[in-house]
Amino acid sequence: MGQLEEALNGQRMLLVVSLPANDAALARAAIEEGADALKVHCNVGHRASGNHFGPLDEYIENFREIRSQFNGPLGVVPSGSIDGIQREDVIRLSGLGFDFYSIYAHHLPSFMLGELGLDKTFAINEHYDPSLVKEAKHFGFTALEASIVPGEEYGTSLSFADVLRYRQLVMQAELPVLVPSQRRLVQEDVQVLHDTGVKAIMLGAVVTGKTEEQLRKAVNAFRNAMDKLK
């Protein structure tokens, strides 16, 4: 059992921070403010932050520095397209200290279904048939990332319609469900998402902003809200 799977199987809701840049100072800020897990990116254009992340080799030293200051679950989005994934890069990930990968199902090539020494998480968007997600457990996946908010709605408030869709995924997936902050989540949403059965909130650029000060403020606020969960 990998670190992420072990953490998700615990009783507490997890706070995951998807860093807006592959920057050790931002990672340290997230850790100091109470992040349970971190996620970084390569080979992908990140719609919420507006950032473009280059190839794995561009960030090797950054990733090693982040790993050296954090012993919790550390994940990576290895690509933003199925053609952008290099087998040799994916094979290197566990050796760089990564615990899990995170990628859209339609970007995930078949070889990544094999044993790579990583927990496997996958994302779905608003176009997926929710009934399909229950099949992922058969392939040994650790968690589902519910990235189901349309891009043109990023940064808007969480609605009950969203909550119903997250609940549907919680009931169908037979896997822990992570909710990324595509909506502009606020502290009051934490209890609601917890009651919906969501196992982790993943804070990204919509909530954290791009600066260290903004990130610290956001992570601290959500850490405090999670620590008060009933």
Side-chain angles (χ1 to χ4, degrees), residues 6-78:
E6 184 175 358
L8 288 169
N9 284 340
Q11 295 300 309
R12 67 197 292 258
M13 191 181 203
L14 296 187
L15 179 58
V16 184
V17 176
S18 179
L19 296 175
N22 296 331
D23 182 90
L26 291 177
R28 183 166 54 253
I31 297 160
E32 289 175 354
E33 299 301 336
D36 295 308
L38 300 178
K39 188 174 81 168
V40 295
H41 304 75
C42 57
N43 298 308
V44 64
H46 192 248
R47 186 162 53 177
S49 68
N51 290 341
H52 177 78
F53 296 88
L56 176 65
D57 284 338
E58 190 174 321
Y59 305 111
I60 295 295
E61 292 309 313
N62 303 59
F63 292 159
R64 285 178 173 154
E65 186 175 357
I66 291 169
R67 178 78 283 179
S68 72
Q69 61 191 22
F70 182 58
N71 60 9
L74 176 62
V76 61
V77 178

Side-chain angles (χ1 to χ4, degrees), residues 89-146:
D89 284 348
V90 174
I91 290 171
R92 295 162 66 194
L93 293 176
S94 64
L96 292 172
F98 288 106
D99 302 291
F100 68 97
Y101 69 68
S102 171
I103 189 169
Y104 277 107
H106 57 284
H107 294 160
L108 196 159
S110 57
F111 79 84
M112 287 180 65
L113 296 173
E115 178 52 54
L116 296 168
L118 301 164
D119 280 342
K120 300 182 288 191
T121 76
F122 75 106
I124 64 170
N125 62 26
E126 70 273 22
H127 301 300
Y128 281 75
D129 176 352
S131 68
L132 292 176
V133 298
K134 68 179 184 297
E135 308 301 339
K137 189 173 183 180
H138 173 78
F139 296 96
F141 277 83
T142 301
L144 163 67
E145 184 177 328

Side-chain angles (χ1 to χ4, degrees), residues 97-219:
F98 288 106
D99 302 291
F100 68 97
Y101 69 68
S102 171
I103 189 169
Y104 277 107
H106 57 284
H107 294 160
L108 196 159
S110 57
F111 79 84
M112 287 180 65
L113 296 173
E115 178 52 54
L116 296 168
L118 301 164
D119 280 342
K120 300 182 288 191
T121 76
F122 75 106
I124 64 170
N125 62 26
E126 70 273 22
H127 301 300
Y128 281 75
D129 176 352
S131 68
L132 292 176
V133 298
K134 68 179 184 297
E135 308 301 339
K137 189 173 183 180
H138 173 78
F139 296 96
F141 277 83
T142 301
L144 163 67
E145 184 177 328
S147 300
I148 57 174
V149 175
E152 62 272 17
E153 297 181 22
Y154 281 14
T156 57
S157 298
L158 184 74
S159 71
F160 182 48
D162 298 318
V163 171
L164 289 173
R165 295 180 72 194
Y166 293 141
R167 179 61 181 170
Q168 180 185 35
L169 291 172
V170 166
M171 297 303 292
Q172 291 188 326
E174 300 181 11
L175 289 172
V177 173
L178 291 70
V179 169
S181 62
Q182 297 170 306
R183 299 292 188 195
R184 188 172 293 281
L185 299 178
V186 295
Q187 296 171 63
E188 291 77 12
D189 296 327
V190 171
Q191 185 71 57
V192 173
L193 291 172
H194 177 266
D195 294 345
T196 303
V198 169
K199 289 294 293 183
I201 294 175
M202 184 181 294
L203 296 185
V206 166
V207 170
T208 65
K210 298 183 181 182
T211 70
E212 181 178 335
E213 182 180 1
Q214 291 171 325
L215 184 142
R216 282 186 180 276
K217 184 177 180 181
V219 176

